[in-house]
Amino acid sequence: MKYNRPRSLAQYFEQAGAVPAAGVTVLAGGTDLMPGYENGRPLPVHLLDIKALPELRGIVERDHEIEIGALTTIEQIRANSAINTLFTALVEAADQFAGPQIRHRATIGGNLVNASPAGDTLPPLYAYGAVVKITGPAGERTVPLEEFITGPGQTTLAPGELVQSVILPKLRHRSLFYKLGLRQAMAIAVVNFAITYAVKNGAFSHLAIAAGAVAPKVVLLDTLTEALVSRGATIDDAMHLVDNDISPIDDLRAPADYRRTVLKNVLAYTLRNLLGGGNGR
Amino acid sequence: MTSTTQYIGKPFKNVDAEDKLTGATKYITDMRFDNMAWAYPIFSTVPFGAVRQIDLKAARSVPGYIDVILAERIPGENQVGVIVEDQPLLAGKTVRFIGDVIGIAVAETAAAAHRIAKLVEITYTEYEPYFSIAESESATSQFIHETNIACSHRILKGDPAAAFRKSDLIVEAEFSTGSQEHFYLEPQGCVAFPEKDGQIVVMGSLQCPYYVQKAVARALGRPLDGVRVIQAPTGGAFGGKEDVPSELGARVALAASLINRPVKMIYKRSDDIQITSKRHAFSMRYKVGVMRDGTLQAAEITLQSNAGAYATLSSVVSYRSTMQSMGPYVVPNIRVNSTAYYTNLPPAGAFRGFGSPQVAFGHERMMDLIADRLDMDPVRLRLKNVLKVDAKTITGQQLSASVGAEETIRQACRISSWETNQATGSTDGRYRYGQGIAASIYGNCLGAAGWHMDGAGVNISIQRDGTVKVAFGLAEMGQGALTVVAQMTAEALGIDHRRVVVLLTDTNSVPDSGPSVASRNVVMTGNAIRDAASKLLPILKAAAAELLGCGADDVTIGSDLATDSKTGTEVGFAELADYLYRGNQPTEMRGWWHVPQLDFDPDTGQGEAYFTYSYATHVARVQVDTLTGQVQVRGVWAAHDAGTVINPAGLEGQVEGGVAQATGWALTENILVDRGQIITSNLSTYLLPTALDAPPVETVAVEDPDPRGPWGAKGVGEPAFIPAAPAIANAISNALGVEVYELPLTPPKVLQLLEEQEPTAGMP
């Protein structure tokens, strides 16, 4: 196995270009990669450690957006004041992400590229309408997150390309995040979701819901939100529409039915509370 | 009893804690020896079958290959069964579970040994496997061993049929409890090295050095003095390192003796989970007859346990669960039948509680069910039937002393404010709250089934500078043995505890002291220390009398001094030690203690099952999320009668650890198996409680001294675990207003219980 730690993007492209693209494995926080090797995944041919790339670092706030470098750790997101002010759901997701040791190593770029249906930062990023900035030998491009992730572990990232940052448009809406893990920490989500919302006259004037771990990729529950926002449906009447947007599976963490039930239970409860309905049951 | 003691009953932090916390402790994985090779097990990938062919071609091509050792090269007996002779050291013909070890790969590096183990191609003729108790029980041919029954035990006392007829109420229920993985922090590991004199030395992460010594001697066909076993610092065991290290020890010793080099073997975590023993899953049927006033009249209990592929310790687990199947209660008429069934799963073996937690779930759910049917307070029902001095257990054993069961119930209620917290089914919309209580009994040491090896020794040696070395035959595995041994030695000799150095266990130092199990260290080693001290003290007194110019009878020893009680003149212990040496006096004494002979009839299950019992009661409070079925244990209040407490800090640590481990067993730890393959084989799928899941625990000691225990002490390591899960289950039942019959109560199962109760609960 060969290991390199490039010091700039230019150096990265040079080193990555020197080997067949299929042979390159990118290492950032390593919190997904390393357990894979422990579990018997063959070691990589060429490991490129991108932790020292300055171009992938930093959180930049602009008038209408905030740009988060791919190497930003989950802990840095938790601690950042601009993100805390504007993107509550993302901070809540970071709060419930694994445990302290992993939060200090794992990066937001890694969570995007890993493209797990249960990744905890993904539902907030979907709900915020995040855009992924990609850099490659041919230059930069941006892709909406929804298009960037194509399936479990699958993205549109071409060989040689890296995620440089993720860009969040500043919203006036409030947001929240919910996660059900089967224990209080160090648990992979059985269901998670993020909501951005605005309430006017006892009804939602804006509502976006992104749910994780209930389909091959994070899904926006558009059928439900459309019914609630545009057609004035009641929460009780509309909740069954969730089934149109999700397709959970049985796995060793939980049965599909359980995921479906819990998502609807907690979502209904949460939406009722947002509308001031008090105790959701 | 303890009012005049200097060290007994005082809190001590564990003497090895600092080294463990700072990483200074050297475990097996940290040890390197010159010219050391590595070994790894080659194990079956089918649950049940015959080995047809073993092809080594690919394995031999791995760089660093040294050897692949198969059954025919075992010079001694190919047998490692600890009680029943049913388990080959290396399976030659038949494999009985995925993980059954067929051979040993030996290589220059650990990675090469893993690779060789993977590349050995084995072809099998597969048989139809049995995974559940029901499948095993209904088999008519192609048994796993000569039969599918691993062992059975029974109790018959009084006339249960007549007593049921007289009972006002009969309550029947069926229960099941899941298996559990020990998940000791340090995986199994051993290293063996051949000495020039032909002796083979095995060091390992283990809790029963003498088991390993016997297993190695047997496999190599050597006398016991040809095998020395040294316990390495051990990162947790919980019963998982009771018999399993005998397999590892014998396999590395075999490899080391065949290639004449040091050989080390450490299991990878996922293989450790697949290969090594687990807690027995139980199915239980309880039928209990009771009078209107709550007096228990009769019980009929059937216990079935899943023993896995080999008997290992199933017979003693089954024995203990049978003897304790009705908990700390008087039941005048009772029949118990217990059977362990072989299946093609990894062997079930020893795990903290050893069959007790399973039956505690049974009898404590029954007590709540009965209380509910009688519309009686569950605490009152328990107090009405609880064992007291002079009462008889279900084995007809009249208890003569140290029966703190009733007091543990009262104290658990007191510290938890049970009465004022009648939170029955209280709710704030989303969450429901409940509390539960559970009481338990635990027979100390090995009991009648293991009396023949229930002795243990120490060797106390006073050195010339006044330091004191103690070798003991039981083992430190994180439970604080080194600390209490130092405390008890200092107390027994009247010296400063800082003089005492306790050595890790070595079969060369102390005679076979049996296994470090059954919460027996304090009782066994403590009494052995007192025995050794009783031989040293007269020598010390005689020497002090000479130094002080008084009669030996006038000398008192204590506070690190020998004092002439008439004049008050003193001599320090260091000076006394030096004086012993200058006078060529004996300075080293062995101590030994064995459990009093037990009178027990295995045919009726009547007699003295254990020489004494520890008791405990836990109260648990839970919050249940009705939207998700998640349970948060908000607190556990624990009252323990462990007799006189030697180290209160140690007792508190044991109880907190026991409660955390039992919380996992009750709620989240769920071993999932696919055709014999464990699929929850890492920390992300097998869900141990984290620090955020483990409940806060408040502990109170009910000190009812046992005259046969050292300073009145009894064991607490396993009792710490036993009542916690049933208390949590009773609290969940109380919160939801539904009965629960199985563990673990994972969120999907709790949500199901809610749906059963109110069919609309599943939908918002």
Side-chain angles (χ1 to χ4, degrees), chain A residues 38-53:
Chain A
E38 180 60 28
N39 292 332
R41 184 195 300 167
L43 287 174
V45 181
H46 194 149
L47 195 62
L48 280 177
D49 180 350
I50 61 167
K51 278 199 289 292
L53 296 183

Side-chain angles (χ1 to χ4, degrees), chain A residues 111-119 122-123 126 145-146 148-155 189-190 192 211-221 242-251 256 259-260 263:
Chain A
N111 213 223
L112 288 171
V113 174
N114 197 49
S116 160
L122 301 181
Y126 271 73
L145 175 58
E146 267 184 89
F148 174 73
I149 293 174
T150 54
Q154 307 291 315
T155 69
V190 160
N192 56 13
V214 288
K217 47 187 255 185
V218 172
V219 288
L220 287 161
L221 304 181
V242 168
D243 286 321
N244 296 346
D245 294 318
I246 66 174
S247 50
I249 53 162
D250 292 330
D251 71 6
R259 294 172 195 266
R260 197 174 280 126
L263 175 63

Side-chain angles (χ1 to χ4, degrees), chain B residues 89-303:
Chain B
L89 179 64
L90 297 175
K93 297 189 191 94
T94 309
V95 290
R96 297 181 174 90
F97 71 106
I98 295 179
D100 215 348
V101 176
I102 295 165
I104 308 159
V106 190
E108 297 293 345
T109 65
H114 294 154
R115 182 131 183 82
I116 292 164
K118 277 223 162 68
L119 289 178
V120 173
E121 279 176 44
I122 303 170
T123 42
Y124 306 90
T125 303
E126 287 195 58
Y127 308 142
E128 193 52 41
Y130 310 98
F131 297 121
S132 67
I133 292 169
E135 285 165 6
S136 175
E137 191 184 15
S138 61
T140 53
S141 63
Q142 196 79 61
F143 298 116
I144 296 170
H145 296 278
E146 280 171 28
T147 142
N148 274 2
I149 291 176
C151 62
S152 56
H153 292 89
R154 70 204 64 83
I155 288 176
L156 178 58
K157 181 187 179 211
D159 186 348
F164 277 119
R165 282 196 299 274
K166 281 193 293 192
S167 297
D168 292 328
L169 171 72
I170 295 172
V171 180
E172 291 182 75
E174 289 183 23
F175 305 103
S176 69
T177 57
S179 183
Q180 187 177 23
E181 164 61 32
H182 305 84
F183 238 111
Y184 23 69
L185 278 180
E186 182 197 22
Q188 303 273 353
C190 275
V191 57
F193 41 98
E195 297 281 44
K196 285 198 188 70
D197 62 3
Q199 195 181 47
I200 191 129
V201 179
V202 175
M203 293 183 76
S205 178
L206 49 90
Q207 62 185 94
C208 302
Y210 303 95
Y211 279 4
V212 178
Q213 187 190 26
K214 276 182 273 189
V216 171
R218 189 179 197 182
L220 298 186
R222 294 187 188 199
L224 285 175
D225 72 295
V227 181
R228 176 181 178 193
V229 177
I230 302 166
Q231 191 218 5
T234 294
F238 309 113
K241 292 171 185 170
E242 175 166 357
D243 58 319
V244 172
S246 299
E247 301 173 30
L248 277 93
R251 288 175 193 140
V252 284
L254 174 63
S257 70
L258 287 175
I259 71 165
N260 199 30
R261 286 171 63 175
V263 175
K264 180 148 88 170
M265 176 155 73
I266 295 176
Y267 284 0
K268 289 161 76 93
R269 177 67 74 184
S270 55
D271 292 336
D272 191 315
I273 290 175
Q274 181 66 46
I275 299 173
T276 68
S277 66
K278 316 259 166 285
R279 187 182 294 289
H280 288 74
F282 266 54
S283 294
M284 301 173 274
R285 251 194 335 269
Y286 274 75
K287 176 180 171 187
V288 176
V290 61
M291 302 310 288
R292 209 159 277 122
D293 70 353
T295 309
L296 300 178
Q297 280 300 317
E300 194 170 296
I301 300 167
T302 306
L303 308 174

Side-chain angles (χ1 to χ4, degrees), chain B residues 1-12 483-492 522 526 529-530 643-648 703 710-713:
Chain B
M1 183 150 213
T2 60
S3 57
T4 59
T5 57
Q6 194 174 359
Y7 293 111
I8 304 302
K10 307 289 189 302
F12 276 81
T483 310
V484 290
V485 168
Q487 273 181 276
M488 293 190 293
T489 304
E491 188 74 45
V522 158
I529 287 168
R530 294 181 70 141
T644 304
V645 177
I646 303 294
N647 180 4
E703 298 188 88
W711 295 275

